[in-house]
Amino acid sequence: PLSPLSDWPELLSWIRAAASTKLKLLRKLATQTIIFHLWKQRNNLTHNQISLSAVAVFHGIDREMRTIISARKQRKHLCSLMVMWLR
């Protein structure tokens, strides 16, 4: 079972503990994308008083991850990232 990450060092340990280089890359990309979308949501709420639903935020994260992975699929050693993301 997965436990929630409670602090920054724990998040970094989780990324580094990946079983493979591909999984480590996927975790890094997902972490970066999630942080960006949460920051964007926070700024949107702070500056525009507009809040997106959690579903909309998750949809944006998923869409961006698929775009990032698709842009890298020509690299043979990264072609399986999409399969890993969709699991």
Side-chain angles (χ1 to χ4, degrees), residues 8-24:
W8 193 252
E10 220 174 286
L11 174 64
L12 296 177
S13 293
W14 174 76
I15 292 169
R16 291 182 191 124
S20 69
T21 304
K22 290 178 186 177
L23 182 56
K24 188 181 288 189

Side-chain angles (χ1 to χ4, degrees), residues 41-60:
Q41 169 75 343
R42 176 242 175 235
N43 281 352
N44 202 22
L45 186 58
T46 300
H47 301 294
N48 304 320
Q49 291 72 46
I50 297 171
S51 179
L52 297 175
S53 69
V55 171
V57 174
F58 280 109
H59 179 71

Side-chain angles (χ1 to χ4, degrees), residues 33-34 37-38 52-66 85:
T33 303
I34 291 165
H37 279 269
L38 291 176
L52 297 175
S53 69
V55 171
V57 174
F58 280 109
H59 179 71
I61 291 167
D62 182 57
R63 186 176 58 241
E64 186 164 339
M65 281 297 293
R66 290 171 189 242
W85 175 249

